[in-house]
Amino acid sequence: MKAIVATDQTAGTAGMRLSERPEPQAAINDVVVRVHASGFVPTELSWPSTWTDRRGHERTPSIPGHELAGVVSAIGYGTTGLSVGQRVFGLADWYRDGTLAEFVAMEARNLAPLPGDVDFTVGASLPISGLTAWQGLFQHGRIQAGQSVLAHGAAGAVGSMVTQLASEAGAYVIGTGRAADRQKALDFGAKEFVDLENDKLEDIGGVDLVFDVIGGGIQKRSAALIRAGGTLVTVVGPAEARPADGLAIDFVVESDRAQLNEIVQRVRDGRLRTNIGTVSALEEAVATFNATERRAGKTVIRVCP
């Protein structure tokens, strides 16, 4: 099968190439999925799980990518809940070969049914962005109607999901980003927008929850804005700053079938819009990842035409 492989951790996306790899086999509780579309997060190449297995043994050449939408092509022994020919989408294991390939083997529990009226490209754009927003807001942030949320990167893949889901839950969302992102963030449901390059973040006053996708100095300044009992939720590693009288929570997104079902249903009924930027073929994936211009929205790779 054709797949994008990574062999050099120091080279970043420049170290990726299109290669021929053996087709995976379904282990116990696994399915094999014929991948139609795949998502990719460039920071994967800095994750230890991209280069080693759970025991710390090297596993290069590795196939990156963990988001997918496709069709089940084989089922392993003991696997239940899915069938051959079924349309699915989900989040593949961090420590196994991923979804930038024509086929991927993964645990069935990490997949959810993809309704027939949802395009594969849309399905592949949802798992990391949608689940990260959902888990950060509802599991870790415990957001409630009437509270205020500071959503960093509100026009980005994750931030746009945070903005929409928080707004639907009845929160007042303040988005941040670059000046050029203002209208897009407002279109996704932010009530206010802070240009991090030109506006003063502190002018917004206190908030109940900060959803941080940036870290560093922005995270530290944001933590100081959190009201008593509020929460800083971050996805960029252990928090460097903590609210004076609140919680700081860092987390790694996990696959969850029930949450995927909730997310895709919101896409179907119009409550949630995807934020897809560039869509490229597998043969063009490496060039797409190495492009120098800034790309807005989620990059999706069309694996099966």
Side-chain angles (χ1 to χ4, degrees):
M1 68 172 183
K2 293 179 181 178
I4 303 297
V5 300
T7 57
D8 184 352
Q9 187 171 3
T10 63
T13 54
M16 299 166 69
R17 67 177 187 275
L18 183 65
S19 301
E20 285 288 333
R21 297 290 293 160
E23 287 188 20
Q25 303 299 308
I28 295 173
N29 296 323
D30 270 2
V31 296
V32 174
V33 179
R34 172 71 185 272
V35 181
H36 282 242
S38 169
F40 174 69
V41 180
T43 54
E44 287 180 33
L45 300 181
S46 65
W47 302 347
S49 57
T50 299
W51 307 101
T52 63
D53 61 21
R54 282 188 167 81
R55 296 181 177 180
H57 300 147
E58 183 179 341
R59 65 177 188 88
T60 54
S62 63
I63 300 173
H66 295 284
E67 299 169 282
L68 84 155
V71 175
V72 176
S73 62
I75 292 180
Y77 179 80
T79 300
T80 60
L82 296 175
S83 58
V84 172
Q86 186 172 5
R87 300 172 93 248
V88 291
F89 75 119
L91 187 59
D93 191 296
W94 309 124
Y95 287 91
R96 297 173 65 176
D97 278 343
T99 61
L100 288 173
E102 292 179 314
F103 295 90
V104 63
M106 58 187 291
E107 289 186 78
R109 66 186 179 94
N110 291 332
L111 291 162
L114 182 69
D117 57 354
V118 179
D119 185 79
F120 288 115
T121 301
V122 172
S125 75
L126 295 173
I128 287 182
S129 301
L131 289 171
T132 298
W134 188 282
Q135 291 167 18
L137 287 171
F138 304 126
Q139 285 183 220
H140 304 295
R142 301 186 182 279
I143 190 67
Q144 297 178 16
Q147 293 186 324
S148 55
V149 175
L150 179 62
H152 286 304
V158 173
S160 60
M161 291 287 178
V162 171
T163 299
Q164 292 178 86
L165 289 173
S167 297
E168 186 201 6
Y172 184 92
V173 181
I174 304 166
T176 79
R178 303 183 184 185
D181 297 328
R182 181 183 300 273
Q183 191 56 53
K184 190 173 183 180
L186 296 175
D187 290 343
F188 276 119
K191 300 298 185 184
E192 299 179 39
F193 182 83
V194 178
D195 172 3
L196 291 176
E197 296 175 329
N198 300 296
D199 298 335
K200 189 175 180 181
L201 183 61
E202 289 72 16
D203 286 346
I204 67 171
V207 295
D208 297 296
L209 185 144
V210 171
F211 203 116
D212 170 46
V213 297
I214 300 174
I218 294 296
Q219 182 192 96
K220 292 178 182 178
R221 291 166 61 194
S222 301
L225 303 176
I226 296 174
R227 298 187 180 110
T231 307
L232 167 69
V233 174
T234 181
V235 295
V236 294
E240 300 175 29
R242 291 183 171 275
D245 186 14
L247 296 175
I249 299 173
D250 67 278
F251 75 100
V252 176
V253 65
E254 298 178 350
S255 190
D256 186 294
R257 182 178 291 175
Q259 293 172 7
L260 287 169
N261 287 335
E262 290 279 1
I263 290 164
V264 78
Q265 183 56 45
R266 282 165 169 75
V267 172
R268 296 179 74 196
D269 62 24
R271 286 178 288 166
L272 190 63
R273 289 189 292 125
T274 55
N275 187 6
I276 298 173
T278 302
V279 178
S280 298
L282 186 65
E283 291 78 8
E284 301 164 354
V286 173
T288 298
F289 300 148
N290 284 294
T292 54
E293 69 269 21
R294 182 184 179 229
R295 295 189 179 276
K298 182 78 178 179
T299 297
V300 177
I301 302 303
R302 271 278 190 187
V303 179
C304 178

